[in-house]
Amino acid sequence: MSGFGRSAISYAMPLAALAMAVAVRASGLSVDEGLLNARILVGALSSAIMFVTIFVVLDHAEAVARRVGEPYGTLVLTFAVTAIEVSIIVSMMLHGENNPTLARESVFSTVMIASTGVVGMCLAFGGWRHRKQAIVRQGTSAYLAVLIALTVMTLILPTYTQTTDPGTFSAAQLGFVSVLSVLLYASFVFAQTVRHREDFIQGQPHDISVRAAPHENISSSALLLMAGLIGIVMLAEQVAASVEDTLVAYQVTQADSIVGAMIAGLVLMPEAISAVRASLNNELQRGLNVAMGSACATIGLTIPAVAAASLLTGRGLTLGLPAADAVLLVLALFICNVSFSTERTTFLTGMVHLVVFFTYIFLIFIP
């Protein structure tokens, strides 16, 4: 592990995040409607602690990933981050007023940030440093095929079904699509880790499955990874709720989109940093595995989870995207298809993705 990871900070921050989250919950500041200014201050402090903890969690996750090797290593952080997003969305669905579009906005934001923002930074920064970078076309094509099928079924198809109102599924349709999503994602993970493992591993001059160094305590890294993730989950929920309350108090019209993008940005930060690091180290395929894996896992696992919560609690769930967001999503997927159609990428390829990403960010605030 790095010097930073071996320092006392790597042990203290996961525990500090847990302690901060428990303290805020016990104080009642996260729910007391009469303490808006205090909630904003606590939200800022929680954000600072969470930001540092994210880097610490990333360090521990990379230690565990080095132990298990590729492509299993990328799945460690992918599953962890997906668990964070599911817990935040479900928690916010079950508390406060019914918000049927929060899950849609969070999932859509995750796909857009991963496929345009994170992928764009990987391609642009890696291309700038190394001029041209190689990818494994079979692996990236598999990611893209799964992502296209899942996004169309869950985010675009609901707008055109006729059983219920536009943008929604009936209970039978929601259950059917959720089961298909889980099965497709499970099939993809099986192909990635067992059947076609070589399609997701880029040839390296060193052994990518090398074991961790003797001084690395994998047990402690795994425990601190879990503690840090739990702390991030609890703090992110409080930060997101505080931001949502503030936006509503100041009558911001695009509150759902902003909160959804914020949730996606917070939970994707560890993976984004890991992906960019890999790209800068000329391990672009590993970076793409992390970025595209996040998008696939978000739809394949988050949608079924929030669908189950909706069916069990009777809370409304709107998944169909508005027309403008659907156009952006289709554009992002089309550009991914073009970018991954060859086995080499450049700085320009990344800039195309980033242009779409900045358009997505701009339209959040000025639709």
Coordinates of all heavy atoms in Angstrom, one line a residue, residues 169-260:
F169 N -43.9 1.7 -15.2 CA -44.2 0.4 -15.5 C -45.3 -0.1 -14.6 O -45.5 0.4 -13.5 CB -43.0 -0.5 -15.2 CG -42.0 -0.6 -16.3 CD1 -40.6 -0.5 -16.0 CD2 -42.4 -0.7 -17.7 CE1 -39.7 -0.6 -17.1 CE2 -41.4 -0.8 -18.7 CZ -40.1 -0.7 -18.4
S170 N -46.1 -1.0 -15.0 CA -47.0 -1.7 -14.1 C -46.2 -2.6 -13.2 O -45.0 -2.8 -13.4 CB -48.1 -2.5 -14.9 OG -47.4 -3.6 -15.6
A171 N -46.9 -3.2 -12.2 CA -46.2 -4.0 -11.2 C -45.6 -5.2 -11.9 O -44.4 -5.6 -11.7 CB -47.1 -4.5 -10.1
A172 N -46.4 -5.8 -12.9 CA -45.9 -7.0 -13.6 C -44.7 -6.6 -14.5 O -43.7 -7.4 -14.6 CB -47.0 -7.6 -14.4
Q173 N -44.8 -5.5 -15.2 CA -43.7 -5.1 -16.1 C -42.5 -4.7 -15.3 O -41.4 -5.1 -15.7 CB -44.2 -3.8 -16.9 CG -45.2 -4.1 -17.9 CD -45.8 -2.8 -18.5 OE1 -45.8 -1.8 -17.9 NE2 -46.4 -3.0 -19.7
L174 N -42.6 -4.1 -14.1 CA -41.5 -3.7 -13.3 C -40.8 -4.9 -12.8 O -39.5 -5.0 -12.8 CB -42.0 -2.8 -12.2 CG -40.9 -2.2 -11.3 CD1 -39.9 -1.3 -12.1 CD2 -41.5 -1.4 -10.2
G175 N -41.5 -5.9 -12.3 CA -40.9 -7.2 -11.9 C -40.2 -7.9 -13.0 O -39.1 -8.4 -12.8
F176 N -40.9 -8.0 -14.2 CA -40.3 -8.7 -15.3 C -39.0 -8.0 -15.7 O -37.9 -8.7 -15.9 CB -41.3 -8.7 -16.4 CG -40.8 -9.4 -17.7 CD1 -40.7 -10.8 -17.7 CD2 -40.4 -8.6 -18.8 CE1 -40.3 -11.4 -18.9 CE2 -40.0 -9.3 -19.9 CZ -39.9 -10.7 -20.0
V177 N -39.0 -6.7 -15.9 CA -37.7 -6.0 -16.3 C -36.6 -6.1 -15.3 O -35.5 -6.3 -15.6 CB -38.1 -4.6 -16.6 CG1 -36.8 -3.7 -16.8 CG2 -38.9 -4.4 -17.9
S178 N -37.0 -6.1 -14.0 CA -36.0 -6.2 -12.9 C -35.3 -7.6 -12.9 O -34.1 -7.7 -12.8 CB -36.7 -6.0 -11.6 OG -37.2 -4.7 -11.5
V179 N -36.1 -8.7 -13.1 CA -35.6 -10.0 -13.2 C -34.6 -10.1 -14.4 O -33.5 -10.7 -14.3 CB -36.7 -11.1 -13.3 CG1 -36.1 -12.4 -13.6 CG2 -37.4 -11.1 -12.0
L180 N -35.1 -9.6 -15.6 CA -34.2 -9.6 -16.8 C -32.9 -8.9 -16.5 O -31.8 -9.3 -17.0 CB -34.9 -9.1 -18.0 CG -36.1 -9.9 -18.5 CD1 -36.7 -9.2 -19.8 CD2 -35.6 -11.3 -18.9
S181 N -33.0 -7.7 -15.9 CA -31.8 -6.9 -15.6 C -30.8 -7.7 -14.7 O -29.6 -7.7 -15.0 CB -32.2 -5.6 -14.9 OG -33.0 -4.8 -15.7
V182 N -31.3 -8.3 -13.7 CA -30.4 -9.1 -12.8 C -29.8 -10.3 -13.6 O -28.6 -10.5 -13.5 CB -31.2 -9.6 -11.6 CG1 -30.3 -10.6 -10.8 CG2 -31.6 -8.4 -10.7
L183 N -30.6 -11.0 -14.4 CA -30.1 -12.1 -15.1 C -29.0 -11.7 -16.1 O -28.0 -12.4 -16.3 CB -31.2 -12.8 -15.8 CG -32.2 -13.6 -14.9 CD1 -33.3 -14.2 -15.8 CD2 -31.4 -14.7 -14.2
L184 N -29.3 -10.6 -16.8 CA -28.3 -10.1 -17.8 C -27.0 -9.7 -17.2 O -25.9 -10.0 -17.6 CB -28.9 -9.0 -18.6 CG -28.0 -8.3 -19.7 CD1 -27.5 -9.4 -20.7 CD2 -28.7 -7.2 -20.5
Y185 N -27.1 -9.0 -16.0 CA -25.9 -8.5 -15.4 C -25.1 -9.7 -14.8 O -23.9 -9.8 -14.9 CB -26.2 -7.5 -14.3 CG -25.0 -7.0 -13.6 CD1 -24.1 -6.1 -14.3 CD2 -24.6 -7.4 -12.3 CE1 -23.0 -5.7 -13.7 CE2 -23.4 -6.9 -11.8 CZ -22.6 -6.1 -12.5 OH -21.4 -5.6 -11.9
A186 N -25.9 -10.7 -14.2 CA -25.2 -11.9 -13.7 C -24.5 -12.6 -14.9 O -23.4 -13.2 -14.7 CB -26.2 -12.8 -13.0
S187 N -25.1 -12.7 -16.0 CA -24.5 -13.4 -17.2 C -23.2 -12.6 -17.6 O -22.2 -13.2 -17.9 CB -25.5 -13.4 -18.3 OG -26.6 -14.2 -18.0
F188 N -23.3 -11.3 -17.5 CA -22.1 -10.5 -17.9 C -21.0 -10.7 -16.9 O -19.8 -10.9 -17.3 CB -22.5 -9.0 -17.9 CG -21.3 -8.1 -18.0 CD1 -20.7 -8.0 -19.2 CD2 -20.8 -7.4 -16.9 CE1 -19.5 -7.1 -19.3 CE2 -19.8 -6.6 -17.0 CZ -19.1 -6.4 -18.2
V189 N -21.3 -10.8 -15.6 CA -20.2 -11.0 -14.6 C -19.6 -12.4 -14.8 O -18.4 -12.6 -14.6 CB -20.8 -10.8 -13.2 CG1 -19.8 -11.3 -12.1 CG2 -21.2 -9.4 -12.9
F190 N -20.4 -13.4 -15.1 CA -19.9 -14.7 -15.4 C -19.0 -14.7 -16.6 O -17.9 -15.3 -16.5 CB -21.1 -15.7 -15.6 CG -20.7 -17.1 -16.0 CD1 -20.1 -18.0 -15.1 CD2 -20.8 -17.5 -17.3 CE1 -19.7 -19.2 -15.4 CE2 -20.4 -18.8 -17.7 CZ -19.8 -19.6 -16.8
A191 N -19.4 -14.0 -17.6 CA -18.5 -13.9 -18.8 C -17.2 -13.2 -18.4 O -16.1 -13.6 -18.9 CB -19.2 -13.2 -19.9
Q192 N -17.3 -12.1 -17.6 CA -16.1 -11.3 -17.3 C -15.1 -12.1 -16.4 O -13.9 -11.9 -16.6 CB -16.5 -10.0 -16.6 CG -15.4 -9.1 -16.3 CD -15.9 -7.9 -15.5 OE1 -16.9 -7.9 -14.9 NE2 -15.0 -6.9 -15.5
T193 N -15.6 -12.9 -15.5 CA -14.8 -13.5 -14.5 C -14.4 -14.9 -14.8 O -13.4 -15.5 -14.2 CB -15.4 -13.4 -13.1 OG1 -16.7 -14.0 -13.1 CG2 -15.6 -11.9 -12.7
V194 N -15.2 -15.6 -15.6 CA -15.0 -17.1 -15.8 C -14.9 -17.4 -17.3 O -13.8 -17.8 -17.8 CB -16.2 -17.9 -15.2 CG1 -15.9 -19.4 -15.4 CG2 -16.3 -17.6 -13.7
R195 N -16.0 -17.2 -18.0 CA -16.1 -17.8 -19.4 C -15.1 -17.1 -20.4 O -14.4 -17.7 -21.2 CB -17.5 -17.6 -19.9 CG -17.8 -18.4 -21.2 CD -17.8 -19.9 -21.0 NE -18.2 -20.6 -22.1 CZ -18.4 -21.9 -22.2 NH1 -18.1 -22.6 -21.2 NH2 -18.8 -22.5 -23.3
H196 N -15.1 -15.7 -20.3 CA -14.3 -15.0 -21.3 C -13.4 -14.0 -20.6 O -13.3 -12.8 -20.9 CB -15.2 -14.3 -22.3 CG -16.1 -15.2 -23.1 ND1 -15.6 -16.1 -24.0 CD2 -17.4 -15.4 -23.0 CE1 -16.6 -16.8 -24.5 NE2 -17.7 -16.4 -24.0
R197 N -12.8 -14.4 -19.5 CA -12.0 -13.5 -18.7 C -10.9 -12.8 -19.5 O -10.6 -11.6 -19.2 CB -11.3 -14.4 -17.6 CG -10.5 -13.6 -16.5 CD -10.2 -14.5 -15.4 NE -9.4 -13.8 -14.4 CZ -8.1 -13.8 -14.3 NH1 -7.4 -14.5 -15.2 NH2 -7.4 -13.2 -13.4
E198 N -10.3 -13.5 -20.5 CA -9.2 -12.8 -21.2 C -9.7 -11.6 -22.0 O -8.9 -10.8 -22.4 CB -8.6 -13.9 -22.2 CG -9.5 -14.4 -23.3 CD -10.5 -15.5 -22.8 OE1 -10.5 -15.8 -21.6 OE2 -11.3 -15.9 -23.7
D199 N -11.0 -11.5 -22.3 CA -11.5 -10.4 -23.1 C -11.5 -9.1 -22.3 O -11.6 -8.0 -22.9 CB -12.9 -10.7 -23.6 CG -13.0 -11.7 -24.6 OD1 -11.9 -12.1 -25.2 OD2 -14.1 -12.2 -24.9
F200 N -11.3 -9.2 -21.0 CA -11.3 -8.0 -20.1 C -10.0 -7.7 -19.5 O -9.9 -6.8 -18.6 CB -12.4 -8.2 -19.1 CG -13.8 -8.4 -19.6 CD1 -14.2 -9.7 -19.9 CD2 -14.6 -7.4 -19.9 CE1 -15.5 -10.0 -20.4 CE2 -15.9 -7.6 -20.4 CZ -16.3 -8.9 -20.7
I201 N -9.0 -8.3 -19.9 CA -7.6 -8.1 -19.4 C -6.7 -7.7 -20.5 O -6.5 -8.4 -21.5 CB -7.1 -9.4 -18.7 CG1 -8.0 -9.9 -17.6 CG2 -5.7 -9.2 -18.2 CD1 -7.6 -11.2 -17.0
Q202 N -6.1 -6.5 -20.3 CA -5.2 -6.0 -21.3 C -3.8 -6.5 -21.0 O -3.4 -6.6 -19.9 CB -5.2 -4.4 -21.2 CG -4.4 -3.8 -22.3 CD -4.5 -2.2 -22.2 OE1 -4.9 -1.7 -21.2 NE2 -4.2 -1.6 -23.3
G203 N -3.1 -6.9 -22.0 CA -1.7 -7.4 -21.9 C -0.9 -6.4 -21.2 O -0.8 -5.2 -21.7
Q204 N -0.2 -6.8 -20.2 CA 0.7 -5.8 -19.4 C 2.1 -6.4 -19.4 O 2.3 -7.6 -19.4 CB 0.2 -5.7 -18.0 CG -1.2 -5.1 -17.9 CD -1.3 -3.7 -18.3 OE1 -0.3 -2.9 -18.3 NE2 -2.5 -3.2 -18.7
P205 N 3.1 -5.5 -19.3 CA 4.4 -6.0 -19.2 C 4.7 -6.6 -17.8 O 5.7 -7.2 -17.6 CB 5.3 -4.7 -19.4 CG 4.4 -3.6 -19.0 CD 3.0 -4.0 -19.4
H206 N 3.8 -6.4 -16.9 CA 3.9 -7.0 -15.6 C 2.7 -7.9 -15.3 O 1.7 -7.8 -16.0 CB 4.0 -5.9 -14.5 CG 2.9 -5.0 -14.5 ND1 2.8 -3.9 -15.3 CD2 1.8 -5.0 -13.7 CE1 1.7 -3.3 -15.1 NE2 1.0 -3.9 -14.1
D207 N 2.8 -8.7 -14.3 CA 1.7 -9.6 -13.9 C 0.6 -8.8 -13.2 O 0.8 -8.4 -12.1 CB 2.2 -10.7 -13.0 CG 1.1 -11.8 -12.7 OD1 0.0 -11.6 -13.3 OD2 1.4 -12.7 -11.9
I208 N -0.6 -8.7 -13.8 CA -1.6 -7.9 -13.2 C -2.3 -8.6 -12.1 O -3.0 -8.0 -11.3 CB -2.7 -7.6 -14.3 CG1 -3.2 -8.9 -14.9 CG2 -2.2 -6.7 -15.4 CD1 -4.4 -8.6 -15.9
S209 N -2.1 -9.9 -12.0 CA -2.7 -10.6 -10.9 C -1.7 -10.9 -9.7 O -1.9 -11.7 -8.9 CB -3.2 -12.0 -11.3 OG -2.2 -12.8 -11.8
V210 N -0.6 -10.1 -9.7 CA 0.4 -10.3 -8.7 C -0.3 -10.1 -7.3 O -1.1 -9.2 -7.1 CB 1.5 -9.2 -8.9 CG1 1.0 -7.8 -8.7 CG2 2.7 -9.5 -7.9
R211 N 0.2 -10.8 -6.3 CA -0.3 -10.7 -5.0 C 0.2 -9.5 -4.3 O 1.2 -8.9 -4.7 CB 0.2 -12.0 -4.2 CG -0.4 -13.3 -4.7 CD -1.9 -13.3 -4.6 NE -2.5 -14.5 -5.1 CZ -3.8 -14.8 -5.2 NH1 -4.6 -13.9 -4.9 NH2 -4.2 -16.0 -5.6
A212 N -0.4 -9.1 -3.3 CA 0.0 -7.9 -2.5 C 1.3 -8.1 -1.9 O 1.7 -9.3 -1.6 CB -1.1 -7.6 -1.5
A213 N 2.0 -7.1 -1.6 CA 3.3 -7.1 -0.9 C 3.1 -7.7 0.5 O 2.1 -7.6 1.1 CB 3.9 -5.7 -0.9
P214 N 4.2 -8.3 1.0 CA 4.1 -8.9 2.3 C 3.6 -8.0 3.4 O 3.0 -8.4 4.3 CB 5.5 -9.5 2.5 CG 6.1 -9.6 1.2 CD 5.5 -8.5 0.4
H215 N 4.0 -6.7 3.3 CA 3.7 -5.8 4.4 C 2.2 -5.4 4.4 O 1.7 -4.7 5.3 CB 4.6 -4.6 4.4 CG 4.4 -3.7 3.2 ND1 5.2 -3.8 2.1 CD2 3.4 -2.8 2.9 CE1 4.8 -3.0 1.1 NE2 3.7 -2.3 1.6
E216 N 1.5 -5.7 3.3 CA 0.1 -5.3 3.2 C -0.8 -6.3 4.0 O -0.8 -7.5 3.8 CB -0.4 -5.3 1.8 CG 0.3 -4.1 1.0 CD -0.3 -4.1 -0.4 OE1 -0.7 -5.1 -1.0 OE2 -0.3 -3.0 -1.0
N217 N -1.5 -5.7 5.0 CA -2.5 -6.5 5.8 C -3.8 -6.5 5.1 O -4.6 -5.5 5.2 CB -2.5 -5.9 7.2 CG -3.3 -6.8 8.1 OD1 -4.2 -7.6 7.7 ND2 -3.0 -6.8 9.4
I218 N -4.2 -7.5 4.3 CA -5.4 -7.5 3.5 C -6.6 -7.6 4.4 O -7.6 -7.0 4.1 CB -5.3 -8.7 2.5 CG1 -4.1 -8.5 1.6 CG2 -6.6 -8.7 1.7 CD1 -4.1 -7.2 0.8
S219 N -6.5 -8.3 5.5 CA -7.7 -8.4 6.4 C -8.0 -7.0 6.9 O -9.2 -6.7 7.0 CB -7.3 -9.4 7.6 OG -7.1 -10.7 7.1
S220 N -7.0 -6.3 7.4 CA -7.3 -4.9 7.9 C -7.8 -4.0 6.8 O -8.7 -3.2 7.0 CB -6.1 -4.4 8.6 OG -5.1 -4.2 7.7
S221 N -7.3 -4.2 5.6 CA -7.7 -3.3 4.5 C -9.2 -3.6 4.2 O -10.0 -2.7 3.9 CB -6.8 -3.6 3.3 OG -5.5 -3.1 3.5
A222 N -9.5 -4.9 4.2 CA -10.9 -5.3 3.9 C -11.9 -4.7 4.9 O -13.0 -4.2 4.6 CB -11.1 -6.8 3.8
L223 N -11.5 -4.8 6.2 CA -12.3 -4.3 7.3 C -12.5 -2.8 7.2 O -13.6 -2.3 7.4 CB -11.8 -4.8 8.6 CG -11.9 -6.3 9.0 CD1 -11.1 -6.6 10.3 CD2 -13.3 -6.7 9.0
L224 N -11.4 -2.1 7.0 CA -11.4 -0.7 6.9 C -12.2 -0.2 5.7 O -12.8 0.8 5.7 CB -10.0 -0.1 6.9 CG -9.3 -0.2 8.3 CD1 -7.8 0.1 8.1 CD2 -10.0 0.7 9.3
L225 N -12.1 -1.0 4.6 CA -12.8 -0.7 3.4 C -14.3 -0.8 3.7 O -15.1 0.2 3.3 CB -12.5 -1.7 2.3 CG -13.4 -1.7 1.0 CD1 -13.3 -0.4 0.3 CD2 -13.0 -2.9 0.1
M226 N -14.8 -1.8 4.4 CA -16.2 -1.9 4.7 C -16.6 -0.8 5.7 O -17.7 -0.2 5.5 CB -16.5 -3.3 5.3 CG -16.3 -4.4 4.4 SD -17.2 -4.3 2.8 CE -18.9 -4.2 3.5
A227 N -15.8 -0.5 6.7 CA -16.1 0.6 7.6 C -16.2 1.9 6.9 O -17.1 2.7 7.2 CB -15.1 0.6 8.7
G228 N -15.3 2.2 6.0 CA -15.3 3.4 5.3 C -16.5 3.5 4.4 O -17.1 4.6 4.3
L229 N -16.9 2.4 3.7 CA -18.0 2.5 2.8 C -19.3 2.7 3.6 O -20.2 3.5 3.2 CB -18.1 1.1 2.1 CG -17.1 0.9 1.0 CD1 -17.2 -0.5 0.4 CD2 -17.2 1.9 -0.1
I230 N -19.4 2.1 4.8 CA -20.6 2.3 5.6 C -20.7 3.8 6.1 O -21.7 4.4 6.0 CB -20.6 1.4 6.8 CG1 -20.8 -0.1 6.4 CG2 -21.7 1.7 7.8 CD1 -20.6 -1.1 7.5
G231 N -19.5 4.3 6.4 CA -19.5 5.7 6.8 C -19.8 6.6 5.7 O -20.6 7.6 5.9
I232 N -19.4 6.3 4.5 CA -19.7 7.1 3.3 C -21.2 7.1 3.0 O -21.8 8.1 2.7 CB -18.9 6.7 2.1 CG1 -17.4 7.0 2.3 CG2 -19.4 7.3 0.8 CD1 -16.5 6.4 1.3
V233 N -21.7 5.9 3.1 CA -23.2 5.7 2.9 C -24.0 6.6 3.8 O -24.9 7.4 3.4 CB -23.6 4.2 3.1 CG1 -25.1 4.1 3.2 CG2 -23.1 3.4 2.0
M234 N -23.6 6.6 5.1 CA -24.4 7.3 6.1 C -24.2 8.8 5.9 O -25.1 9.6 6.0 CB -24.0 6.9 7.5 CG -24.3 5.4 7.8 SD -23.7 4.9 9.4 CE -24.8 5.8 10.5
L235 N -23.0 9.2 5.6 CA -22.7 10.7 5.4 C -23.3 11.2 4.1 O -23.8 12.3 4.1 CB -21.2 10.9 5.4 CG -20.5 10.8 6.8 CD1 -19.0 11.0 6.6 CD2 -21.0 11.8 7.8
A236 N -23.2 10.4 3.1 CA -23.8 10.8 1.8 C -25.3 11.0 1.9 O -25.8 11.9 1.3 CB -23.4 9.8 0.7
E237 N -25.9 10.1 2.6 CA -27.4 10.3 2.8 C -27.7 11.6 3.5 O -28.6 12.4 3.1 CB -27.9 9.2 3.7 CG -29.4 9.3 4.0 CD -29.8 8.2 5.0 OE1 -29.1 7.3 5.2 OE2 -31.0 8.4 5.5
Q238 N -26.9 12.0 4.5 CA -27.1 13.2 5.2 C -26.8 14.4 4.4 O -27.5 15.4 4.3 CB -26.3 13.2 6.5 CG -26.7 12.2 7.5 CD -25.7 12.0 8.6 OE1 -24.7 12.7 8.7 NE2 -25.9 11.0 9.4
V239 N -25.7 14.3 3.6 CA -25.3 15.5 2.7 C -26.4 15.7 1.6 O -26.8 16.8 1.4 CB -23.9 15.2 2.1 CG1 -23.6 16.2 1.1 CG2 -22.9 15.2 3.2
A240 N -26.8 14.6 1.0 CA -27.8 14.7 0.0 C -29.1 15.2 0.5 O -29.8 16.1 -0.1 CB -28.0 13.3 -0.6
A241 N -29.5 14.8 1.7 CA -30.8 15.3 2.3 C -30.7 16.8 2.6 O -31.6 17.5 2.4 CB -31.1 14.5 3.5
S242 N -29.5 17.2 3.1 CA -29.3 18.6 3.4 C -29.3 19.4 2.2 O -29.9 20.5 2.1 CB -27.9 18.7 4.1 OG -27.6 20.1 4.4
V243 N -28.7 18.9 1.1 CA -28.7 19.7 -0.2 C -30.1 19.8 -0.7 O -30.6 20.8 -1.2 CB -27.8 19.0 -1.2 CG1 -28.0 19.6 -2.6 CG2 -26.3 19.2 -0.7
E244 N -30.9 18.6 -0.6 CA -32.2 18.6 -1.1 C -33.1 19.6 -0.4 O -33.9 20.4 -0.9 CB -32.8 17.2 -1.0 CG -34.2 17.1 -1.6 CD -34.7 15.7 -1.6 OE1 -34.3 14.9 -0.7 OE2 -35.5 15.3 -2.5
D245 N -33.0 19.7 1.0 CA -33.7 20.6 1.8 C -33.4 22.1 1.4 O -34.2 22.9 1.3 CB -33.4 20.4 3.3 CG -34.0 19.1 3.8 OD1 -34.9 18.5 3.1 OD2 -33.6 18.6 4.8
T246 N -32.1 22.3 1.2 CA -31.7 23.7 0.9 C -32.2 24.1 -0.5 O -32.7 25.2 -0.7 CB -30.1 23.7 0.8 OG1 -29.6 23.3 2.1 CG2 -29.7 25.1 0.5
L247 N -32.2 23.2 -1.5 CA -32.7 23.5 -2.8 C -34.2 23.8 -2.8 O -34.7 24.7 -3.4 CB -32.4 22.3 -3.8 CG -30.9 22.1 -4.1 CD1 -30.8 20.8 -4.9 CD2 -30.3 23.3 -4.8
V248 N -34.9 23.0 -2.0 CA -36.3 23.2 -1.8 C -36.6 24.5 -1.1 O -37.5 25.2 -1.5 CB -37.0 22.0 -1.1 CG1 -38.5 22.3 -0.8 CG2 -36.9 20.7 -1.9
A249 N -35.9 24.8 -0.1 CA -36.1 26.0 0.7 C -35.9 27.3 -0.2 O -36.6 28.3 0.0 CB -35.1 26.1 1.9
Y250 N -34.9 27.2 -1.1 CA -34.7 28.3 -2.0 C -35.4 28.2 -3.4 O -35.1 28.9 -4.3 CB -33.2 28.4 -2.3 CG -32.4 29.0 -1.0 CD1 -31.8 28.1 -0.2 CD2 -32.4 30.3 -0.7 CE1 -31.1 28.6 1.0 CE2 -31.8 30.8 0.4 CZ -31.1 29.9 1.2 OH -30.5 30.4 2.4
Q251 N -36.3 27.2 -3.4 CA -37.2 27.0 -4.6 C -36.5 26.8 -5.9 O -36.8 27.4 -6.9 CB -38.2 28.2 -4.7 CG -39.1 28.4 -3.5 CD -40.0 29.6 -3.6 OE1 -39.8 30.4 -4.5 NE2 -41.0 29.6 -2.8
V252 N -35.4 25.9 -5.8 CA -34.7 25.6 -7.0 C -35.5 24.5 -7.8 O -36.0 23.5 -7.2 CB -33.3 25.0 -6.6 CG1 -32.6 24.5 -7.9 CG2 -32.5 26.0 -5.9
T253 N -35.8 24.8 -9.0 CA -36.8 24.0 -9.8 C -36.2 22.6 -10.2 O -37.0 21.7 -10.3 CB -37.2 24.8 -11.1 OG1 -36.0 25.1 -11.9 CG2 -37.9 26.1 -10.7
Q254 N -34.9 22.5 -10.4 CA -34.3 21.2 -10.8 C -33.7 20.5 -9.7 O -32.6 19.9 -9.8 CB -33.3 21.5 -11.9 CG -33.8 22.2 -13.1 CD -34.8 21.4 -13.8 OE1 -34.6 20.2 -14.0 NE2 -35.9 22.0 -14.3
A255 N -34.4 20.4 -8.5 CA -33.9 19.8 -7.3 C -33.6 18.3 -7.5 O -32.6 17.8 -7.1 CB -34.8 20.0 -6.1
D256 N -34.5 17.6 -8.2 CA -34.4 16.1 -8.4 C -33.1 15.8 -9.2 O -32.3 14.9 -8.9 CB -35.6 15.5 -9.1 CG -36.8 15.5 -8.2 OD1 -36.6 15.8 -7.0 OD2 -37.9 15.2 -8.6
S257 N -32.9 16.6 -10.3 CA -31.8 16.4 -11.2 C -30.5 16.7 -10.5 O -29.5 15.9 -10.6 CB -31.9 17.2 -12.4 OG -33.1 16.9 -13.2
I258 N -30.5 17.7 -9.7 CA -29.3 18.1 -9.0 C -28.9 17.1 -7.9 O -27.7 16.7 -7.8 CB -29.4 19.5 -8.4 CG1 -29.6 20.6 -9.5 CG2 -28.2 19.9 -7.5 CD1 -29.9 22.0 -9.0
V259 N -29.9 16.7 -7.1 CA -29.6 15.7 -6.1 C -29.2 14.4 -6.7 O -28.3 13.7 -6.2 CB -30.9 15.5 -5.2 CG1 -30.7 14.3 -4.2 CG2 -31.2 16.7 -4.4
G260 N -29.9 13.9 -7.8 CA -29.5 12.7 -8.5 C -28.0 12.8 -9.0 O -27.3 11.8 -8.8

